[in-house]
Amino acid sequence: MRATDTRQYHLSHFKMSDTADKEGVDDQGLAEYYEKRKALYQTMTNKADNSEAVLDWYDKEADIYEAQFEKAGFEYHSAFVETTLTLAKDKQAKILDVAAGSGKAGMELRRVGYTNLDGLDGSSAMLALAKEKKIYNEYICCTVGSEKLRDVSDASYDFVFCAGGVSRGHLSLETVPTMLRAVKPNGYLYFNHSSWSAQFPEYSFEKLDHMIEVLREKGLCSSADKKEGYFNRPGEPTTLYIIRRGDGEF
C-alpha cells in the first residue's frame, strides 16, 4: 500500500457515513469520538515529536475512547490474545502489557485464564479505567523511551506485548529494545506495527528490521518472526512481530 493510500485510509476513519442514522449506529457518541480522534491523528501526522501531546489527549479523552472502542472498529486485543495462547501454554506465566490503556487486551487475557498480568501505560486516566476492572496485579504509570523501564526489572517477564502502541506519536521504534530487556531469556516480545506508521522514515519497516538484526547480532534476540495481516482494525495493513529473547545482556 502506498503512503498516500495509508494516509487516506486513516482519514476515512474519522469521517462519519451519511447513512449512520439509517444503519443504527450510535452516531452521536461515535461522531464525537471521530472528531476528537481526528484531532489526535492530525497531531500524529503533522508533528514528529508529539508524544506529550498524544499523552495529553488520552488523559483528557479516556472516557470517550473507552465508550466507543468497539464501535470504532479496534480489534488488536483479539489478535494478541490468540498470539498469547499460542506462545504461553502456562496460564501462570508472568506477562507485561505495555501501552495497556484501559486494559482491553488484558481483560481478554483474563477471560481465557491468564492471571499473572501487569499493565503499563503513560496515561494515568487510562490506567485508572483498567484499575476499575481489576485486570492487572500491578499498574505501572510511566512512559516508554530508549532507557530502562522505570519500576520494571530486567529479564523479569516471561512475555511482554504491546498491542497497538508502537506507532507514530505513541511509542517509537527505539522502545523495542527497551521492552525486550524486560523479557526473560527465551521469553517473547510481540507487538504490531502498521503500514501507516511505516510510511514515516523514523518508523519504516526497514529501520525496524535493521534494529532487530542488531539485537540478533548482540545475542539479545534468538529468533524473530513476523506475520502480515490486519492486527489493528479491519482493512488496515499491519505486521505482527514476534521476537524471542536471547541470552545476551543489555
Side-chain angles (χ1 to χ4, degrees):
M1 182 174 281
R2 300 188 306 273
T4 52
D5 294 333
T6 55
R7 191 181 297 266
Q8 185 59 42
Y9 167 79
H10 274 256
L11 280 173
S12 70
H13 269 270
F14 307 106
K15 296 178 180 177
M16 285 297 295
S17 168
D18 292 336
T19 61
D21 290 339
K22 298 177 183 178
E23 295 180 0
V25 175
D26 178 11
D27 62 300
Q28 184 74 25
L30 194 56
E32 181 183 358
Y33 167 78
Y34 278 142
E35 278 304 307
K36 291 178 181 293
R37 186 82 182 179
K38 185 176 181 180
L40 172 65
Y41 165 74
Q42 289 171 339
T43 300
M44 292 164 59
T45 303
N46 298 329
K47 187 179 177 185
D49 183 15
N50 52 21
S51 56
E52 186 174 340
V54 170
L55 190 58
D56 286 344
W57 187 93
Y58 281 103
D59 278 335
K60 293 175 182 176
E61 310 298 349
D63 289 336
I64 192 170
Y65 177 89
E66 172 76 357
Q68 301 298 330
F69 182 87
E70 281 81 12
K71 292 177 185 177
F74 293 108
E75 295 182 346
Y76 58 75
H77 51 307
S78 299
F80 279 81
V81 170
E82 293 174 8
T83 303
T84 303
L85 285 167
T86 299
L87 297 175
K89 302 303 183 183
D90 180 5
K91 295 292 181 68
Q92 296 302 312
K94 192 174 183 182
I95 301 173
L96 177 63
D97 181 356
V98 176
S102 62
K104 295 295 185 181
M107 185 163 59
E108 293 302 313
L109 288 173
R110 280 272 181 190
R111 285 176 179 166
V112 296
Y114 294 97
T115 58
N116 199 2
L117 307 172
D118 292 343
L120 182 151
D121 200 274
S123 168
S124 58
M126 294 291 279
L127 273 184
L129 292 174
K131 199 167 187 177
E132 290 175 2
K133 304 170 195 170
K134 300 180 180 178
I135 297 170
Y136 305 107
N137 298 328
E138 298 290 337
Y139 298 82
I140 306 166
C141 189
C142 73
T143 56
V144 185
S146 59
E147 302 298 322
K148 178 183 177 299
L149 288 171
R150 193 179 75 231
D151 301 326
V152 176
S153 300
D154 286 353
S156 55
Y157 287 92
D158 300 300
F159 301 92
V160 173
F161 72 89
C162 182
V166 179
S167 174
R168 183 176 168 92
H170 292 66
L171 304 188
S172 70
L173 296 187
E174 282 69 28
T175 64
V176 172
T178 303
M179 292 188 286
L180 186 62
R181 72 183 293 167
V183 180
K184 297 176 183 177
N186 297 314
Y188 287 90
L189 164 67
Y190 42 111
F191 59 93
N192 58 337
H193 186 45
S194 72
S195 294
W196 176 79
S197 286
Q199 71 180 296
F200 300 100
E202 68 272 23
Y203 283 91
S204 71
F205 288 121
E206 292 78 11
K207 179 177 179 179
L208 179 53
D209 289 342
H210 175 71
M211 290 178 66
I212 293 172
E213 185 57 35
V214 170
L215 291 169
R216 194 194 299 269
E217 291 171 357
K218 293 180 178 179
L220 297 168
C221 163
S222 61
S223 69
D225 297 309
K226 54 185 178 180
K227 296 194 300 182
E228 306 291 335
Y230 303 100
F231 306 109
N232 192 8
R233 286 180 286 193
E236 180 178 358
T238 316
T239 302
L240 176 66
Y241 286 79
I242 302 173
I243 300 175
R244 192 168 194 179
R245 174 79 153 85
D247 293 326
E249 295 184 5
F250 281 89

